[in-house]
Amino acid sequence: MEASKVNQLKLFIQQCDSNPALLQDPALKFFRDYLEKLGAKLPASAYGKGESAKKTEAKDSFVDESDDDMPELEEQFGPSSTSPKVPEETASDDEIVESEVELDNEGVIEPDNDPPQKMGDPSIEVTDEKRDEAQMAKSKAMEAMADGDLDEAVNHLTEAIECNPTSAIIYATRASVFVKMKKPNAAIRDANAAIKINPDSAKGYKWRGMARAMLGHWEEAAKDLHLASRLDYDEEISAVLKKVEPNVHKIEDHHRKYERLRREKDERKKERERQRRRAEAQAAYEKAKKQEKTSTCKPCGATGGCSGGMPGGFPGGMPGGFPGGMPAGGMPGGFPGGMPGDVDMSKILNDPELMAAFSDPDVMTALQDVMKNPANLAKYQANPKIAPVIAKMMGKFAGK
């Protein structure tokens, strides 16, 4: 948006702030409606006779994900009173929209859109004669500037540049004239040329910084002016910096504020994710604990049952063909479903090696695989972890 229009809008807002009755104008009803949609609370004086603020229904700007994280668990066991609560998203977690920075834009002008000025050809050979001609043209330009004829000064400096396109000072001098003519873009082009020829051109940085300040490019202007001041300090640079730096500080504070808000938003998001994972882990633990409690053997209190099979339960019964000479077809009744009466389960339950093996997921998976399909026994006969466990179990069943 053009700077002049922004200034007009700013003035209009200030007038509405000091006199809300301006909004009673029917022609401004659209603007008043827009403010209300944004959630603004307007004073009663902003409404005409018979008018009042519209009532808007508050809508949630977020979805409470924690209610739906584990519907199956809550359906089975009900919500847990000990499960950690997942923080809900709030309005502050919506997309952050940066506000405008209130800057002192006095002296800021519209950019000049004239065709680029003539520049010198850096590939030509500059003779001593050409240098003398360039110096003479520059002297004429200085006289024209003293007389206030800036257009004539530009013409002479252009002639000097064409004679000696390797002179950074001539480009910087023409940049200064363009600044006086309020043509900041033309000044920046000449200053860039001067800096390209001489990276330590104090005049190039000075006039580029002043031109950028005229366009309201405060941060870039401050950078150029500080560098120019370090290379060759003068009072004119100091005076411009006194206007530029307060705006730069406001912009920096603005950036820091929104960087902080974005960091805080990210931290809240990460914390919600941590809480969600903790809640899921807690719910899974409570589910397992409840299932373990419901599967505890009532007669002896052992987990997984005694007469109904091994700890944890082996589905399908013990198959035939195990090492140790078990009868084909498995144990009578199978696991779960009843062990033979002459089998002493205490031998298994009191064997630390077997009990340790039963806590190994690989062993339990293999045993259950064989229980479901005896033919799968062949897969584990050469397994150094599984085969000894099966052999020892068969030995216990055989009374060894």
Side-chain angles (χ1 to χ4, degrees), residues 84-153:
K85 294 183 179 180
V86 179
E88 299 179 349
E89 294 184 19
T90 64
S92 61
D93 294 314
D94 292 341
E95 187 65 27
I96 296 174
V97 180
E98 292 193 25
S99 62
E100 294 292 333
V101 187
E102 293 189 6
L103 303 173
D104 180 7
N105 288 317
E106 183 180 354
V108 174
I109 64 173
E110 293 292 327
D112 51 307
N113 297 314
D114 298 337
Q117 63 270 31
K118 288 183 180 181
M119 310 294 278
D121 182 0
S123 64
I124 68 171
E125 182 181 355
V126 181
T127 63
D128 290 341
E129 183 181 354
K130 288 291 185 181
R131 285 192 176 87
D132 292 340
E133 290 178 10
Q135 191 61 35
M136 188 178 298
K138 181 186 173 185
S139 298
K140 292 179 181 179
M142 301 305 290
E143 292 175 3
M145 288 175 63
D147 294 336
D149 192 346
L150 300 181
D151 289 325
E152 185 67 17

Side-chain angles (χ1 to χ4, degrees), residues 160 265 269:
K265 179 184 176 182
K269 184 178 179 181

Side-chain angles (χ1 to χ4, degrees), residues 342-359:
D342 58 350
V343 174
D344 186 356
M345 284 300 298
S346 65
K347 292 182 178 180
I348 294 177
L349 296 176
N350 293 327
D351 189 312
E353 291 184 5
L354 281 179
M355 295 307 294
F358 294 153
S359 65

Side-chain angles (χ1 to χ4, degrees), residues 360-389:
D360 187 326
D362 293 339
V363 173
M364 295 302 294
T365 300
L367 292 176
Q368 292 180 359
D369 184 32
V370 173
M371 298 300 179
K372 293 177 183 177
N373 185 2
N376 291 335
L377 175 64
K379 295 193 301 184
Y380 304 104
Q381 286 180 337
N383 189 306
K385 180 192 289 188
I386 308 300
V389 175

Side-chain angles (χ1 to χ4, degrees), residues 1-13:
M1 183 181 289
E2 297 179 0
S4 60
K5 293 182 179 179
V6 172
N7 289 332
Q8 291 174 3
L9 178 59
K10 183 178 179 181
L11 179 61
F12 171 69
I13 297 297

Side-chain angles (χ1 to χ4, degrees), residues 60-223:
D60 291 339
S61 60
F62 61 91
V63 177
D64 185 359
E65 298 177 7
S66 61
D67 291 341
D68 299 324
D69 278 346
M70 294 165 285
E72 185 177 333
L73 296 178
E74 291 191 358
E75 183 177 329
Q76 293 181 21
F77 307 118
S80 171
S81 60
T82 60
S83 298
K85 294 183 179 180
V86 179
E88 299 179 349
E89 294 184 19
T90 64
S92 61
D93 294 314
D94 292 341
E95 187 65 27
I96 296 174
V97 180
E98 292 193 25
S99 62
E100 294 292 333
V101 187
E102 293 189 6
L103 303 173
D104 180 7
N105 288 317
E106 183 180 354
V108 174
I109 64 173
E110 293 292 327
D112 51 307
N113 297 314
D114 298 337
Q117 63 270 31
K118 288 183 180 181
M119 310 294 278
D121 182 0
S123 64
I124 68 171
E125 182 181 355
V126 181
T127 63
D128 290 341
E129 183 181 354
K130 288 291 185 181
R131 285 192 176 87
D132 292 340
E133 290 178 10
Q135 191 61 35
M136 188 178 298
K138 181 186 173 185
S139 298
K140 292 179 181 179
M142 301 305 290
E143 292 175 3
M145 288 175 63
D147 294 336
D149 192 346
L150 300 181
D151 289 325
E152 185 67 17
V154 168
N155 292 335
H156 287 305
L157 288 168
T158 301
E159 180 184 349
I161 288 171
E162 290 175 339
C163 291
N164 183 8
T166 64
S167 174
I169 192 62
I170 297 177
Y171 275 112
T173 302
R174 192 171 68 170
S176 72
V177 178
F178 282 130
V179 168
K180 291 180 172 64
M181 296 175 71
K182 297 189 183 301
K183 293 185 177 183
N185 281 333
I188 290 172
R189 285 191 289 268
D190 274 351
N192 286 340
I195 293 168
K196 184 176 181 181
I197 295 169
N198 178 16
D200 292 328
S201 174
K203 297 298 183 184
Y205 289 113
K206 172 184 176 178
W207 297 115
R208 190 172 71 176
M210 290 189 172
R212 285 175 166 174
M214 293 172 69
L215 292 171
H217 301 166
W218 305 113
E219 292 173 292
E220 296 89 342
K223 183 178 178 181

Side-chain angles (χ1 to χ4, degrees), residues 247-308:
N247 281 337
V248 173
H249 294 156
K250 289 180 181 179
I251 293 170
E252 291 174 346
D253 289 344
H254 178 83
H255 289 334
R256 281 194 291 268
K257 171 186 174 182
Y258 282 95
E259 286 173 4
R260 175 179 56 79
L261 291 175
R262 280 187 281 270
R263 283 197 304 271
E264 290 175 353
K265 179 184 176 182
D266 289 342
E267 284 301 318
R268 287 194 297 271
K269 184 178 179 181
K270 291 177 183 177
E271 179 59 24
R272 282 197 303 273
E273 184 60 28
R274 286 192 290 267
Q275 292 279 14
R276 185 173 290 110
R277 288 197 296 268
R278 282 196 289 269
E280 290 172 352
Q282 179 69 22
Y285 168 76
E286 291 180 0
K287 178 183 179 181
K289 189 175 180 181
K290 190 172 184 70
Q291 289 176 337
E292 180 183 358
K293 184 176 180 181
T294 57
S295 65
T296 301
C297 178
K298 293 182 179 179
C300 66
T303 301
C306 294
S307 61

